Amino acid sequence: MSAPLDLPKWADTVLVPAISVVAAFLVAGLVVVAIGENPLTATRWLLQGSLGTGEGLGFTLFYMTDFIFVGLAVAVAYHAGLFNIGGEGQATLAGLGIALVLNNLTFLPGFLLIPLGILGAAAFGAAWAAIPGYLQAKRGSHIVITTIMFNWLASVLIVYLLVNVLREPQSMNPETRAFPEQSYIPFMHEVFAAFGIEVPASQLNLTLVLALAAAYCVWLLIYRSRLGYAIRVVGSNPTAAVYAGISPARITVIAMVLSGALAGGLAVNELMGYQHRLLLEFTSGYGFVGIAVALMGRAHPVGIILASLLFGILYQGGAELAFEQPAITRDMVVVIGGIIILFAGALDGLFRRAVAHVLTRQKLARV
């Protein structure tokens, strides 16, 4: 067995993922060439559509907000040695929590209703994640299996509730009535307009600020708190954690509760910030993208923010690319994302060894 690779934090968090992304785009370029298109032109449209205009940048940052929340959710569980695949279900239940709070407390002013909606999302997401956490801690049920099952349970539950319980009687669409206006999280273009700054309208809203604050809080939790230390010890060596007086079962449940609460941020961004009602499939598969985001970002908040930006560029720029170059469909953009995940995950060790070799040679050269 080879010795573990000891890389500096900056190299592990930034350099190795960056090399993986570059290699992935080179391979994706070969795929584009194989279908008879120019990869440089495709890259130009990808970046132009996602970063080249104010509207495109707004949509990119909107997607980035979703990915930050679900990436952080996966990361917190990952540090505890858990692979939480249930972000989709947890965000779905968080959406239910938002709808129940906002549509039953319509008499409250916005400065109370918005925080209560956010807390409702966190509470329902945390509660939904706590059950697989408890089953793992107390019954030995594997967290991957239970979270996958709970994704399906959440999907079935929300369909039943929207069709039979929460749907407006006058509407044929499986969705709730619109949330009260005072519960809407302001759009960024509206916030800038209040200060006399005109920016193009987009879905981007102030939830982005909440996502960045959540990333900072997760950094403080994991790397600057006793609880975070306990989470990392359990994730690294549960047996050693027991000898240190740390309960792996307790930490497992706590980590999953925190993970589910963070996944609820996706519902806040989509429902309180944009859709303004609970509807089917508002998560759009973003919970699964969060797994790739967390892996690419090395489960570190800074890396997760950067990886979220990359996937935001792919989502928004991919739509522009498919429009300008019809031969490159949205499915091709999904393939590019898959190649990035492949290089960032399965081939990660290859790039880590190469970087470690180069850095070791540089260190020896200085000596």
Side-chain angles (χ1 to χ4, degrees):
M1 181 181 291
S2 59
L5 298 174
D6 187 17
L7 289 176
K9 195 66 179 177
W10 64 269
D12 189 39
T13 306
V14 178
L15 182 59
V16 173
I19 294 174
S20 300
V21 170
V22 171
F25 271 101
L26 289 175
V27 174
L30 296 177
V31 176
V32 173
V33 170
I35 63 173
E37 296 290 332
N38 188 329
L40 296 179
T41 303
T43 303
R44 179 171 65 85
W45 283 120
L46 185 72
L47 296 177
Q48 175 69 22
S50 57
L51 303 175
T53 64
E55 182 183 16
L57 178 61
F59 279 91
T60 297
L61 295 178
F62 175 79
Y63 294 129
M64 171 184 166
T65 303
D66 286 334
F67 299 147
I68 288 175
F69 279 119
V70 290
L72 291 173
V74 174
V76 170
Y78 185 81
H79 280 292
L82 306 168
F83 203 51
N84 179 15
I85 305 184
E88 281 281 301
Q90 292 146 25
T92 298
L93 263 291
L96 176 62
I98 289 174
L100 293 177
V101 170
L102 298 187
N103 281 339
N104 287 287
L105 299 176
T106 57
F107 54 89
L108 291 177
F111 72 89
L112 291 177
L113 200 53
I114 290 176
L116 286 175
I118 295 172
L119 289 175
F124 272 65
W128 197 248
I131 303 172
Y134 174 83
L135 293 175
Q136 164 92 9
K138 298 298 185 180
R139 294 292 182 264
S141 302
H142 201 288
I143 201 73
V144 171
I145 303 301
T146 52
T147 50
I148 291 174
M149 290 172 58
F150 270 65
N151 282 338
W152 288 103
L153 289 174
S155 177
V156 172
L157 176 63
I158 205 68
V159 169
Y160 172 80
L161 291 176
L162 285 177
V163 171
N164 298 289
V165 181
L166 300 176
R167 178 173 59 88
E168 282 194 282
Q170 300 83 4
S171 174
M172 294 297 293
N173 296 323
E175 59 187 32
T176 64
R177 68 178 187 270
F179 300 152
E181 288 190 16
Q182 68 268 29
S183 69
Y184 296 177
I185 294 177
F187 289 110
M188 281 294 193
H189 61 268
E190 296 174 343
V191 174
F192 280 106
F195 292 95
I197 304 173
E198 185 176 349
V199 298
S202 70
Q203 300 172 358
L204 181 63
N205 57 79
L206 281 178
T207 311
L208 173 62
V209 178
L210 181 63
L212 296 176
Y216 178 67
C217 290
V218 168
W219 178 80
L220 288 177
L221 169 70
I222 297 298
Y223 299 104
R224 292 294 185 272
S225 74
R226 293 179 62 183
L227 176 58
Y229 176 76
I231 288 173
R232 286 185 287 128
V233 171
V234 169
S236 299
N237 193 326
T239 304
V242 172
Y243 278 99
I246 300 171
S247 169
R250 174 175 169 270
I251 294 300
T252 294
V253 175
I254 291 175
M256 285 302 295
V257 165
L258 293 173
S259 181
L262 287 165
L266 190 162
V268 173
N269 187 46
E270 289 286 338
L271 301 185
M272 295 180 66
Y274 173 54
Q275 302 285 358
H276 302 143
R277 57 175 49 82
L278 176 61
L279 66 166
L280 290 178
E281 298 181 355
F282 69 88
T283 55
S284 302
Y286 299 153
F288 297 113
V289 178
I291 299 171
V293 168
L295 292 176
M296 179 170 289
R298 296 297 185 274
H300 191 284
V302 174
I304 287 170
I305 291 173
L306 296 175
S308 298
L309 177 60
L310 172 64
F311 277 90
I313 290 171
L314 283 176
Y315 266 68
Q316 174 57 25
E320 183 76 14
L321 177 60
F323 178 77
E324 296 293 342
Q325 292 186 270
I328 304 177
T329 63
R330 287 305 299 262
D331 292 334
M332 285 291 299
V333 177
V334 173
V335 169
I336 294 173
I339 293 173
I340 292 175
I341 294 171
L342 172 66
F343 275 75
L347 301 180
D348 172 68
L350 174 65
F351 299 111
R352 284 175 59 83
R353 281 191 291 272
V355 171
H357 178 69
V358 171
L359 293 179
T360 301
R361 291 192 61 178
Q362 288 181 344
K363 183 184 288 188
L364 292 175
R366 293 195 206 101
V367 176

